[in-house]
Amino acid sequence: MSRHRRRAPAKRALKQTWVLIVAVVVVTVAAGVSLGLLASGDDGESSGSEQQGSAATTSQAASPTGPRGNPTPSPTRSYPLSKAPQIIPAVDSHTAARGPGWRPARGERVVVSDTELADEGKLIAGELGLTYAGRKNDVRAGDVRLALGDGEGGNPESYSMTVRGGRVAISGPGEAGVFYGTRTLKQAVHDGRTAPEGVVRDGPAKPVRGFMLDIARKYFTAGWIEDRVRELGDLKFNQLGLHFSDDQGFRIASSSHPEIVSQQHLTKAQVRKIVKLAQSRHIQVVPEIDSPGHLGAVIAAHPDLQLRNVNGAATRGAIDISKPESAEIVDDLLNEYAGLFPGDQWHLGGDEYQALVVSSPEASYPQLATAAREAYGAGATVADLATGWLNDRAATVRTHDRTPRAWNDGFFRNTKVQPDKDIQVAYWTGKEIGARAPVEYLSTGRKVINYNDEFLYYVLGEPQTFVYPTGERIYEQWTPRVLRGTTAVPAKYDSQILGGSFAVWCDLANSQTQAQVAAGIRMPLRATVQKLWDAGKPQLTWAEFKALADRLD
């Protein structure tokens, strides 16, 4: 009896222990689900479909079987299905997954599989407050790993970004693609948000995504230009055009012709710093010395090269291309600046040569007509001479392994001399005398870059018929195939359209300050790159896109 009485409390204690264990399991399951929901999503909110997915997974956690009767461990942590990262430009595709995603934390590493990616690794590490650890083969929690490898169709600007198991892996066939992957990650975690679980596969629709700045008519500080380079890099632009010679000024120091340089100008050291910063963002700086028009700053120091008509009147901004000295000075400059601007692109200008806007160029400029006949035979015209000038300047930059481009009004109909086939068309207007529709260039196989002045020209002071472009109009109405006006060229020419460039022109230079220009082009730049990265109809409405841009800034 006494032994039986002593065992009774032990049974009660055992019973209480089992109750406690069951309670702990229930609390653990509930806590796991709760933590999973708190850890998921970019902003702590879920769509209706996500909420349904979460509820289903929570039910599975409390059940011995999951979907289709598959065994599911219990207890387990649950996450809603991830959404694509909300960035500009939008990613091409995202394979959703369930998991906590990734958020930067101090002490975590950026590592590279290839030493060529050191610059990209150091940049993103510094931006996110991580440690750059260099080339490593080990794996640690929280790692961001950059590697050269797979990409979409071998496009060097494509990349994949995998967020899985609390780590991030970004890879692409080229360094540029890996860099763009880091831009996606940077935007995805902006303002304390979480990069969503899953796999991004992304790449641009167009290889040319440019911004052109007229620094000839208006002086922009080196610091302001550097700020734009950082902005362009984060948006995945890859070209910065600098128009630095015009009638109003010549804005970069010159050793071959220092006499032509404006008082306010960029030093070569400042330009090298801009170029280096641009290279770190995989942006090529494309220089433009426009000729044979728009050379007023050069002519001011060399008045003997000024083009004059039959009455001896000077023609504004135009150099006399019948004189060998005109070619010599322009080639001196092209050769000099080829050493300052690395890369494979060069803009030759070629537009608005005033000798060709009069009713009879041969009668108004007999010296040009004579030079044309001497060079190209009987019947040759001033337009032939201008085309020969363009070809000669193309030959000069070609010796530096550059691909030339020229404005569309530097190409002429019915000439004996044809522009070299490799000169790309920078199509900006259909308003010039004898305007040629874009299809005229495309049908001959020529490659075209879209600078459509109807959408992409930000002209200070809004002279003539120009109005400041809006991001909304670009976002909703423009595509790379809309080369002139508002009408798209046939889809069969899409592959010949290399991309496009938003342009700032400073016709009335004092109309806006640098800060006003930066603010005015902010949304147009974002809309332009969205349509160059993906020419299709955007998934977001304009209001949603603008709200996203505001959040990311």
Side-chain angles (χ1 to χ4, degrees):
M1 290 289 290
S2 62
R3 288 195 298 265
H4 178 71
R5 288 190 181 115
R6 285 195 296 270
R7 283 196 292 267
K11 288 184 179 179
R12 285 194 297 271
L14 183 60
K15 182 177 181 181
Q16 290 169 353
T17 300
W18 279 108
V19 169
L20 179 61
I21 291 171
V22 170
V24 169
V25 170
V26 171
V27 170
T28 302
V29 171
V33 171
S34 177
L35 288 171
L37 292 175
L38 287 174
S40 65
D42 283 355
D43 51 14
E45 297 178 357
S46 299
S47 66
S49 62
E50 287 179 319
Q51 290 169 350
Q52 291 171 4
S54 176
T57 310
T58 302
S59 174
Q60 294 160 23
S63 170
T65 60
R68 302 179 185 175
N70 294 326
T72 301
S74 180
T76 184
R77 180 180 262 184
S78 174
Y79 300 92
L81 201 61
S82 63
K83 295 184 294 185
Q86 294 295 292
I87 67 167
I88 296 174
V91 300
D92 186 48
S93 72
H94 176 253
T95 303
R98 299 185 188 278
W102 182 89
R103 185 178 295 177
R106 294 210 172 271
E108 293 178 346
R109 309 182 306 173
V110 174
V111 297
V112 299
S113 298
D114 306 271
T115 54
E116 297 93 328
L117 298 173
D119 289 343
E120 290 75 16
K122 292 174 184 176
L123 179 61
I124 190 64
E127 291 169 329
L128 299 186
L130 306 177
T131 299
Y132 176 69
R135 185 174 181 178
K136 300 289 183 182
N137 294 322
D138 64 317
V139 176
R140 294 185 186 175
D143 275 357
V144 174
R145 178 170 293 278
L146 310 183
L148 293 174
D150 64 323
E152 298 300 295
N155 180 348
E157 293 191 309
S158 68
Y159 69 94
S160 65
M161 182 179 84
T162 302
V163 179
R164 182 181 298 138
R167 291 184 293 273
V168 180
I170 298 172
S171 65
E175 294 170 42
V178 174
F179 170 74
Y180 296 141
T182 67
R183 301 306 88 192
T184 294
L185 181 63
K186 180 183 177 182
Q187 287 194 38
V189 301
H190 179 74
D191 198 25
R193 285 172 166 78
T194 300
E197 200 87 0
V199 181
V200 167
R201 296 193 183 278
D202 198 16
K206 293 297 180 182
V208 174
R209 304 177 302 282
F211 168 59
M212 196 228 74
L213 181 63
D214 171 12
I215 64 172
R217 294 181 177 91
K218 180 180 180 68
Y219 173 74
F220 288 86
T221 65
W224 189 91
I225 297 171
E226 289 169 7
D227 286 344
R228 301 288 74 71
V229 168
R230 295 183 184 95
E231 180 181 13
L232 296 173
D234 282 351
L235 292 170
K236 304 186 177 90
F237 280 89
N238 64 359
Q239 288 189 5
L240 167 63
L242 290 182
H243 175 93
F244 64 92
S245 168
D246 214 302
D247 297 341
Q248 295 81 356
F250 193 99
R251 301 292 182 182
I252 298 178
S254 171
S255 56
S256 65
H257 291 281
E259 73 280 0
I260 69 175
V261 179
S262 301
Q263 183 177 3
Q264 275 191 313
H265 66 271
L266 298 174
T267 67
K268 286 191 174 181
Q270 288 174 318
V271 173
R272 289 189 187 97
K273 186 179 177 185
I274 291 167
V275 168
K276 184 177 180 180
L277 179 65
Q279 288 177 317
S280 75
R281 267 68 176 174
H282 294 273
I283 296 170
Q284 180 176 168
V285 181
V286 181
E288 181 191 357
I289 298 176
D290 202 347
S291 77
H294 295 282
L295 281 172
V298 173
I299 293 168
H302 295 273
D304 54 311
L305 300 181
Q306 177 95 53
L307 177 65
R308 297 181 179 275
N309 68 12
V310 67
N311 300 316
T315 303
R316 184 173 183 269
I319 203 166
D320 189 336
I321 60 176
S322 69
K323 296 182 176 182
E325 298 82 3
S326 295
E328 289 172 9
I329 192 170
V330 173
D331 281 348
D332 284 347
L333 296 169
L334 295 176
N335 287 322
E336 177 183 356
Y337 291 105
L340 185 62
F341 295 99
D344 61 357
Q345 301 294 311
W346 198 284
H347 202 318
L348 296 170
D351 65 314
E352 297 179 328
Y353 188 49
Q354 296 302 301
L356 290 166
V357 301
V358 298
S359 58
S360 177
E362 287 70 35
S364 295
Y365 300 96
Q367 76 275 34
L368 298 184
T370 298
R373 291 190 296 271
E374 288 176 351
Y376 304 111
T381 65
V382 175
D384 286 305
L385 191 67
T387 303
W389 170 277
L390 182 66
N391 287 343
D392 289 344
R393 306 293 75 75
T396 299
V397 300
R398 208 177 285 119
T399 63
H400 300 284
D401 298 319
R402 309 302 165 87
T403 298
R405 71 181 67 162
W407 299 112
N408 61 287
D409 52 333
F411 296 79
F412 310 102
R413 282 196 186 99
N414 304 319
T415 53
K416 293 178 66 175
V417 182
Q418 293 297 304
D420 291 343
K421 289 292 186 182
D422 68 330
I423 302 176
Q424 298 170 355
V425 180
Y427 199 99
W428 72 280
T429 190
K431 302 181 181 73
E432 77 275 16
I433 294 174
R436 301 173 67 188
V439 170
E440 285 195 41
Y441 303 98
L442 295 166
S443 62
T444 64
R446 201 173 289 274
K447 294 179 179 178
V448 176
I449 301 170
N450 191 327
Y451 290 79
N452 187 340
D453 64 345
E454 180 79 18
F455 291 92
L456 305 179
Y457 262 35
Y458 191 95
V459 186
L460 267 58
E462 299 180 305
Q464 302 175 45
T465 59
F466 289 107
V467 295
Y468 293 129
T470 66
E472 181 175 8
R473 190 160 180 259
I474 296 168
Y475 190 77
E476 294 182 343
Q477 299 181 31
W478 180 81
T479 74
R481 284 173 44 215
V482 179
L483 286 160
R484 172 179 173 177
T486 58
T487 304
V489 299
K492 66 180 180 179
Y493 296 119
D494 186 69
S495 63
Q496 290 173 238
I497 301 170
L498 300 179
S501 181
F502 189 85
V504 169
W505 293 102
C506 302
D507 292 40
L508 300 175
N510 296 323
S511 300
Q512 289 192 342
T513 64
Q514 289 187 145
Q516 288 172 323
V517 173
I521 66 177
R522 175 179 163 271
M523 286 309 300
L525 282 177
R526 284 151 179 76
T528 299
V529 80
Q530 173 60 47
K531 303 304 279 291
L532 290 169
W533 195 265
D534 181 355
K537 182 177 175 60
Q539 292 187 354
L540 299 181
T541 65
W542 169 250
E544 292 169 335
F545 184 81
K546 186 176 184 304
L548 175 60
D550 292 343
R551 178 174 73 73
L552 291 174
D553 283 354

